Amino acid sequence: MTNKWIKEDIMKLVELRKSVRTFEERPLSEEDRKEIRDFLECSENPFHVKVEFRFLESLEKSTSLGTYGVIKGATSYLGAMVQEGPMALEALGYEVENLMLFLVSKKIGTCWLGGTFKREDFKEAMVVPEGYLFPAITPVGYEKVEKSLTDRLARFIAKGNQRKAFEELFFQSSFQESYPREEDDLLSDLLEMVRLGPSASNKQPWRILVEDHGVHFYEKKTPRYSDTFPYDIQRLDLGIAACHFHLGALERNLHGEFITVGAGKKDLPEEMLYRFSYIFK
């Protein structure tokens, strides 16, 4: 698996990516729409799960689709859906974040929306089949320099620019020993890319355990956080973490493969769930 679409340095794009909530009220250019459609046709993930996208373009201002006032000025939206099954949400999280990093490179704004959109209205507009999970959408457009009051308030509440310390998230051999962050260390760079990733309510539920043969991804579940959803929404965040790590590894020729069974540690701390591993080749 390679990434032929993103030409810029992945770390740079990870650092530039942000949640855009206020957009210029103009449609995407035909060139940008075509590039997005071409990207979606080739989108894939290392978990080999089929993720489907819906692209609503150039919506009228009078549309009934809503985001509870969080998003201002957007005229286009992308939604992602997947059939329920093993690694389904992780695969969707991976592909949507990969798309968002591509759009950063095109200077097109996006914003992860998991709970702050009228799900049934968007499901109908995007023709989501029965039996599919439809956990997230994003507005797509050109960022407006002047931010709305709602945007500034949402940014303050989300505290999206604040991240947990490196040593709280990454470990070696056991969860009692933090992984040392060092200069000119490839793994440190890749883990930092994970640390900078977006997550629902900025909970940052990923934890990574480094061993000689690979790295193991765990979810540190936030108690009761997903109770209002019919699925564990924080699994999307693990997919985002996998995306950042994997794109960085591909760029730096650290080859490997994701596996989902048999590599997790036993006797885990409370609320910690093994999800998958990246095994070096």
Side-chain angles (χ1 to χ4, degrees):
M1 180 175 174
T2 60
N3 195 322
K4 66 178 183 179
W5 293 92
I6 299 178
K7 307 301 183 185
E8 295 185 39
D9 179 76
I10 296 297
M11 174 60 92
K12 177 184 175 182
L13 296 178
V14 166
E15 292 174 340
L16 287 174
R17 190 221 61 84
K18 63 180 179 180
S19 296
V20 176
R21 301 179 181 88
T22 307
F23 294 83
E24 296 182 6
E25 293 183 6
R26 62 183 175 99
L28 293 166
S29 70
E30 180 53 42
E31 179 183 356
D32 285 338
R33 291 202 299 270
K34 181 181 185 305
E35 290 208 48
I36 291 171
R37 290 192 295 266
D38 290 346
F39 180 93
L40 295 178
E41 286 183 5
C42 300
S43 182
E44 59 182 341
N45 65 80
F47 304 113
H48 310 294
V49 173
K50 176 64 176 176
V51 177
E52 297 185 34
F53 287 89
R54 297 289 189 270
F55 189 12
L56 295 182
E57 306 174 55
S58 303
L59 299 176
E60 297 293 334
K61 289 183 66 176
S62 60
T63 178
S64 63
L65 301 178
T67 58
Y68 302 106
V70 173
I71 303 300
K72 301 290 186 181
T75 61
S76 296
Y77 285 87
L78 277 161
M81 65 197 74
V82 67
Q83 288 186 299
E84 190 167 6
M87 304 305 296
L89 290 168
E90 290 85 351
L92 187 145
Y94 181 108
E95 287 201 34
V96 174
E97 182 66 8
N98 189 18
L99 168 67
M100 289 184 171
L101 292 175
F102 168 68
L103 293 177
V104 171
S105 74
K106 305 299 294 182
K107 296 180 173 56
I108 296 173
T110 60
C111 182
W112 273 96
L113 298 178
T116 52
F117 68 100
K118 295 180 180 179
R119 195 175 305 275
E120 292 306 315
D121 291 346
F122 274 93
K123 282 180 68 174
E124 181 177 351
M126 293 184 172
V127 195
V128 178
E130 288 296 324
Y132 276 68
L133 301 177
F134 182 58
I137 65 169
T138 176
V140 184
Y142 307 115
E143 181 180 9
K144 188 175 183 179
V145 175
E146 183 181 354
K147 303 297 184 289
S148 70
L149 176 62
T150 303
D151 188 339
R152 295 196 297 270
L153 180 61
R155 193 175 301 276
F156 173 77
I157 293 172
K159 295 181 173 59
N161 61 335
Q162 298 181 18
R163 295 292 189 272
K164 296 183 186 299
F166 190 93
E167 59 269 17
E168 292 182 52
L169 300 173
F170 311 120
F171 304 86
Q172 61 179 357
S173 301
S174 75
F175 286 105
Q176 283 69 52
E177 184 179 358
S178 295
Y179 185 83
R181 183 177 180 181
E182 299 176 354
E183 295 292 332
D184 300 319
D185 174 55
L186 173 57
L187 270 181
S188 290
D189 290 344
L190 298 181
L191 295 175
E192 177 64 8
M193 291 171 65
V194 172
R195 192 181 77 89
L196 295 176
S199 58
S201 300
N202 200 29
K203 297 293 185 182
Q204 304 156 71
W206 44 73
R207 300 293 183 271
I208 293 181
L209 189 63
V210 178
E211 294 188 320
D212 290 339
H213 62 287
V215 297
H216 311 301
F217 289 71
Y218 295 80
E219 175 190 357
K220 189 176 190 302
K221 288 176 65 67
T222 302
R224 307 196 65 82
Y225 184 75
S226 294
D227 287 358
T228 57
F229 300 92
Y231 44 77
D232 179 2
I233 196 171
Q234 292 188 303
R235 286 171 55 196
L236 294 174
D237 302 336
L238 270 291
I240 294 170
C243 177
H244 282 203
F245 186 92
H246 191 215
L247 293 184
L250 291 174
E251 184 177 70
R252 292 159 174 78
N253 295 313
L254 180 62
H255 298 291
E257 64 177 337
F258 283 97
I259 65 171
T260 58
V261 293
K265 288 282 186 183
K266 308 301 182 185
D267 303 320
L268 296 175
E270 188 177 3
E271 304 294 343
M272 197 86 76
L273 298 175
Y274 168 71
R275 289 303 183 192
F276 50 86
S277 301
Y278 187 74
I279 303 302
F280 307 136
K281 290 184 178 179

